[in-house]
Amino acid sequence: MGKRGFPRREPSPKEVLTHCLRLAQEVAPPTPTGRRGRPWRYSHALYLALLLFRAFYKLTYRKTEAVVQDLMEDPFPSHQSLARYALHHLDPNLLEDLLHRLAQEVEAHLSPQDPDPPFTSWTPPT
């Protein structure tokens, strides 16, 4: 229950994914653009955002791919690519910090923007 007895609204997956993408773009390292080897198809920020989304909802890699398929129109990495990226490139401390920031931002996004002023005192009518 939220304030005043109303049911609390849960964030939609689309809202959470939007916050994940923005947070990941802030902290992700630049994608390498060397001349050797095949170029990266997806940016570090996209991988990090999808892994953050996965951690927020506690999903498996396959379930993450299925949910994101409904939310994103742009191409995105497969569940195999996400698992490989997590194994080779993901810093667990960075993911934990981002998960904490994401929880705070989602909470702030769902809280009322103009809360009522605090009740100070009541005087009976005369």
Side-chain angles (χ1 to χ4, degrees):
M1 275 295 174
K3 288 185 177 180
R4 300 185 192 123
F6 291 107
R8 184 184 171 117
R9 183 177 84 85
E10 293 297 319
S12 72
K14 185 71 171 179
E15 291 173 329
V16 173
L17 185 61
T18 303
H19 285 289
C20 289
L21 288 168
R22 191 184 48 70
L23 281 174
Q25 287 176 351
E26 289 178 8
V27 299
T31 305
T33 57
R35 293 181 178 219
R36 298 189 65 187
R38 187 171 66 191
W40 284 64
R41 179 174 282 175
Y42 307 107
S43 67
H44 283 291
L46 182 59
Y47 280 110
L48 190 56
L50 294 178
L51 290 170
L52 184 58
F53 183 81
R54 175 185 177 268
F56 185 80
Y57 283 111
K58 298 179 176 99
L59 301 172
T60 64
Y61 289 108
R62 286 178 189 251
K63 186 67 175 174
T64 303
E65 183 181 13
V67 170
V68 171
Q69 187 174 13
D70 294 336
L71 299 176
M72 288 183 69
E73 296 171 1
D74 297 335
F76 58 91
S78 66
H79 65 276
Q80 297 101 334
S81 296
L82 282 176
R84 182 174 169 83
Y85 183 87
L87 183 65
H88 293 288
H89 299 285
L90 183 64
D91 179 17
N93 296 329
L94 175 65
L95 185 65
E96 190 67 35
D97 293 341
L98 285 177
L99 193 58
H100 182 67
R101 283 181 56 193
L102 176 65
Q104 288 176 341
E105 286 192 11
V106 167
E107 183 69 30
H109 178 72
L110 292 178
S111 67
Q113 300 299 333
D114 282 321
D116 293 333
F119 182 73
T120 54
S121 66
W122 180 76
T123 56
T126 57

